[in-house]
Amino acid sequence: MGEQTQPQSITETQTPSLSQPNSDSTALSTNPPVDIPPNPSNPSKIPIRPQKIRKLSSTPSPQSTNQKPTDSSQSVVTSNGKGTITKNRRRSASQLTRVLPQVIKPLSANGEIENALRHLRLADPLLCSLIDTLPLPAFDSHQLPFLALCKSILYQQLAYKAGTSIYTRFVSLCGSEDAVCPDMVLSLSAQQLKQIGISGRKASYLYDLANKYKTGILADDTVVKMDDRSLFTMLSMVKGIGSWSVHMFMIFSLHRPDVLPVSDLGVRKGVQMLYGLDELPRPSQMEQLCEKWRPYRSIGAWYMWRFIEGKGTPATAAAAMEGGSVQPLQQIEPQQEPEQHQLQLLEPIDGIGSLGACIWGQ
């Protein structure tokens, strides 16, 4: 009997021990996972997931401190805080690589003409015969941007001789080419400019250009350092300066290598003859046809001017050249002169430097 009562006491002592943990909330949270794992049902996974989340989020124990260095070592690449820094650095580096190619050496730099001709030979075989037969392009004119822009305004809608005469009197009125500056232009009255042959409209163009220099919107230093797109936008804001004038200024004054004057009649005519087109290409077609010339489209345009001259096009309708310089065909700016939407042809030059050399600096 004694032996039988002992196992009963053991079971009685075990049953209260089971009843006590069942009454505790903590035991309830721990015992079900012990009973559930043998069951392969999906609900067994539900209580396990929140437990893992609670342990990771609520325990700032040494485990979390041990995980921080590992996270910090990876956070340079993966975390939000430092990852954004690395991404920003990568973006800044990519932006620099995008900006750097825009800062291309001018065509007047040593070796740039040779690099351009080498590229054009490979990019467009049709230019090889022109490169072999025509003289090398020359871009050796150096003139301050403000003076060159004033000069382009004065020559607009005028034959070369008339423009040269007015420009000479304008320089004499200012004192010299070195004296042509925004303050000097603003000091001249409209009556003084009219006496030397400058119309009231062109006088307003000169004043607007000088005012933009005076207020700091434009400056010779910033004009030289601007990329092509920004420069085109800024100069187009000046009254009297349109796309054709900006393109000519960029090619012959700043010697930018990748400028395509799509509105110039000489370049369009040259592209038409080079590719055997039935009609003059439109500006949008010019962009597509001459895309292969990048990043030396200025040289390609230069050869188009020479090409139409070599084909016997009359000098009054072609580019007049002398000594490697080019006189491009001038186009009246449509936004500045709405009543005259046509190309203005310049007179041939007899024994004098061309418009590209004279207007844009020599």
Side-chain angles (χ1 to χ4, degrees):
M1 296 295 295
E3 295 177 356
Q4 292 177 354
T5 56
Q6 288 177 356
Q8 292 177 357
S9 62
I10 293 172
T11 55
E12 290 176 357
T13 56
Q14 289 177 352
T15 51
S17 63
L18 292 172
S19 61
Q20 289 176 356
N22 288 331
S23 61
D24 295 336
S25 61
T26 56
L28 287 173
S29 61
T30 56
N31 286 332
V34 176
D35 295 334
I36 291 171
N39 298 326
S41 59
N42 290 331
S44 63
K45 298 180 180 180
I46 297 175
I48 296 175
R49 290 180 178 176
Q51 288 178 359
K52 291 182 179 181
I53 295 172
R54 289 177 183 176
K55 288 180 181 180
L56 291 174
S57 60
S58 62
T59 56
S61 59
Q63 294 179 355
S64 62
T65 57
N66 293 332
Q67 291 177 356
K68 285 183 180 180
T70 57
D71 293 338
S72 63
S73 61
Q74 296 177 355
S75 62
V76 176
V77 180
T78 60
S79 67
N80 293 331
K82 296 181 180 179
T84 54
I85 297 175
T86 55
K87 288 181 181 179
N88 290 336
R89 289 178 180 175
R90 290 179 182 176
R91 288 178 183 176
S92 62
S94 63
Q95 289 175 357
L96 288 175
T97 55
R98 292 177 183 176
V99 172
L100 286 176
Q102 296 179 357
V103 186
I104 302 175
K105 293 181 180 179
L107 294 172
S108 54
N110 293 331
E112 282 304 299
I113 296 297
E114 290 76 8
N115 293 334
L117 299 183
R118 190 180 305 111
H119 169 77
L120 292 176
R121 285 178 181 275
L122 296 175
D124 194 348
L126 294 177
L127 293 176
C128 292
S129 60
L130 298 180
I131 296 173
D132 292 336
T133 57
L134 295 175
L136 293 177
F139 296 89
D140 53 359
S141 60
H142 297 282
Q143 206 168 53
L144 293 177
F146 181 78
L147 176 61
L149 291 171
C150 289
K151 204 171 189 180
S152 67
I153 292 175
L154 295 176
Y155 272 83
Q156 285 179 5
Q157 306 176 33
L158 294 176
Y160 174 78
K161 292 180 180 179
T164 302
S165 176
I166 292 178
Y167 175 74
T168 302
R169 286 179 289 192
F170 173 75
V171 171
S172 177
L173 183 63
C174 294
S176 64
E177 285 189 337
D178 296 334
V180 178
C181 63
D183 291 333
M184 175 58 69
V185 172
L186 293 175
S187 66
L188 300 175
S189 65
Q191 184 64 27
Q192 288 177 300
L193 296 176
K194 185 178 181 180
Q195 290 176 354
I196 62 174
I198 300 176
S199 64
R201 176 171 291 179
K202 283 191 177 180
S204 67
Y205 297 164
L206 293 174
Y207 292 149
D208 187 67
L209 174 65
N211 279 320
K212 284 182 169 55
Y213 264 78
K214 186 71 174 178
T215 57
I217 297 176
L218 293 174
D220 285 347
D221 294 339
T222 56
V223 166
V224 172
K225 295 177 182 178
M226 278 185 194
D227 60 273
D228 291 351
R229 182 175 298 180
S230 300
L231 182 60
F232 185 89
T233 302
M234 295 301 295
L235 291 182
S236 298
M237 295 171 58
V238 180
K239 294 179 181 179
I241 296 180
S243 60
W244 186 89
S245 297
V246 175
H247 287 154
M248 297 301 106
F249 171 75
M250 293 169 67
I251 294 175
F252 292 102
S253 182
L254 300 183
H255 309 152
R256 296 290 175 91
D258 194 33
V259 180
L260 181 65
V262 295
S263 62
D264 185 85
L265 180 60
V267 179
R268 294 171 63 198
K269 185 65 178 177
V271 171
Q272 179 188 7
M273 292 190 298
L274 182 67
Y275 296 111
L277 304 178
D278 295 334
E279 56 185 12
L280 283 174
R282 296 187 298 271
S284 59
Q285 294 174 327
M286 291 283 294
E287 293 284 352
Q288 296 176 358
L289 291 171
C290 303
E291 179 66 23
K292 62 177 72 69
W293 296 352
R294 285 183 183 271
Y296 295 105
R297 292 183 297 174
S298 299
I299 299 295
W302 189 93
Y303 275 105
M304 293 302 97
W305 285 313
R306 299 300 300 264
F307 182 40
I308 62 172
E309 178 69 12
K311 287 294 182 179
T313 308
T316 55
M321 299 157 294
E322 181 183 1
S325 299
V326 177
Q327 174 186 328
L329 296 178
Q330 182 176 356
Q331 179 181 1
I332 296 175
E333 308 298 353
Q335 68 271 28
Q336 305 298 343
E337 301 290 341
E339 70 278 5
Q340 299 181 19
H341 291 277
Q342 60 182 355
L343 296 174
Q344 176 176 351
L345 304 179
L346 303 179
E347 292 182 356
I349 299 171
D350 300 327
I352 308 178
S354 67
L355 185 65
C358 294
I359 291 185
W360 306 104
Q362 178 74 331

